[in-house]
Structure formats: structure tokens, C-alpha cells
Amino acid sequence: MTPVSWKTRELTVGQVAERSGVATSALRFYEKNGLIHSTRTSGNQRRYHRDTLRRVAFIRASQRVGITLEKIRGALELLPENRTPTPSDWQRLSECWRDDLNARIRELEELRDDLTDCIGCGCLSLSACALANPHDVAAEQGPGPARHLTGDGCCP
């Protein structure tokens, strides 16, 4: 890894990729989808402000827990563009997702606990399905694992 001076305000796409662990193609994808922004040099090369590293870390952590790019974009729009986000900016953003993340945690715990039993899929293939889903009542809730589908949450 090539060290980048902490004084460097703008980073190349390669420097952001190396420091963040994200491929340059992913960075271009994030930029195309409005998640991060760059400026261009006179030679048309991308330059990213140093706080892009925090935004990329946030994007990766959010994706890891299953948050959609659309919601991530909406959340990042709450952060200031013209300055590095402060701890209170990040706190406001985290409060926005707290209820949604807690619901996801509950769903994951329920899924973990139910994996050896019926998960409400409507398949009626397990002997337990006749008890947990008699006469395939889960089908009325739509296709898929009806007991484990989630809502959209409260925030972007």
C-alpha cells in the first residue's frame, strides 16, 4: 500500500480504491449513482475530497447489513457536501436508521431461531408446516417467506 500524506486534500481514484479496499469500478459506480462525488482535473482525471473515504466506508457497512443503495443515497444526501461531516451529522443519520436496523436484528434473530422449523414459506413440505401454516394460510400474504418480509423503514 502506497502511503498518502494526511495533508493531501484530494485523492485519485486509485488512492481512494487502495485506502478504502473498494475497486475503482465500484467507486465509478457509486459516483454514477450519486453516492459519492468527484471533481475533474484539466486532464479529466477524477479527484475525490478526502472525506470520500468516510462515505465509502459508510456505503460498504450499510450494504453489508442489507441496506439498499437507494436508502444509502438518501441518507448521504442528509450530510453536507461542502464540508466534512461532523459527529453530530453522523449521529443524526444513525438515529434515522436505528428503528430499521433494530427491526432487521429482530428479523435475523427470528430467522435464525426458525431455520430448523417452518419459516412461513407456504411450501407445506415439512411436517411442521401443517402446524405453523395450516391450509397454507401464508399464501394469502403473498409469495415467499411471508413471516420474514420487512417494511421499508422510516428514512431514506
Side-chain angles (χ1 to χ4, degrees):
M1 186 161 157
T2 307
V4 177
S5 170
W6 63 271
K7 295 178 186 178
T8 305
R9 289 189 159 279
E10 291 188 331
L11 305 172
T12 66
V13 68
Q15 289 169 324
V16 174
E18 186 173 19
R19 178 66 178 83
S20 67
V22 173
T24 57
S25 58
L27 294 171
R28 287 188 292 272
F29 176 81
Y30 292 161
E31 186 173 352
K32 180 181 174 184
N33 285 279
L35 299 165
I36 61 174
H37 305 282
S38 70
T39 58
R40 297 293 180 129
T41 66
S42 59
N44 203 31
Q45 296 175 329
R46 287 179 169 86
R47 292 295 185 265
Y48 295 95
H49 193 273
R50 193 171 190 84
D51 66 50
T52 300
L53 292 171
R54 275 194 183 171
R55 291 173 188 263
V56 171
F58 174 77
I59 293 165
R60 291 186 71 200
S62 300
Q63 286 181 302
R64 191 173 298 130
V65 297
I67 296 173
T68 66
L69 288 180
E70 182 180 334
K71 284 187 177 189
I72 294 168
R73 183 183 322 101
L76 288 172
E77 287 172 358
L78 299 174
L79 297 176
E81 273 299 318
N82 56 348
R83 65 174 170 78
T84 300
T86 64
S88 65
D89 292 326
W90 289 108
Q91 177 67 32
R92 186 178 67 246
L93 190 147
S94 76
E95 287 172 4
C96 180
W97 283 358
R98 186 171 306 282
D99 290 341
D100 187 44
L101 291 173
N102 284 335
R104 287 173 184 267
I105 290 167
R106 283 190 301 275
E107 287 175 13
L108 286 169
E109 288 172 341
E110 188 177 308
L111 178 61
R112 177 201 61 209
D113 295 344
D114 288 349
L115 278 177
T116 57
D117 202 353
C118 178
I119 60 169
C121 63
C123 68
L124 296 174
S125 62
L126 299 173
S127 60
C129 284
L131 299 174
N133 186 20
H135 308 291
D136 195 17
V137 293
E140 295 171 13
Q141 297 174 1
R147 287 178 45 202
H148 293 281
L149 296 178
T150 63
D152 288 335
C154 70
C155 297

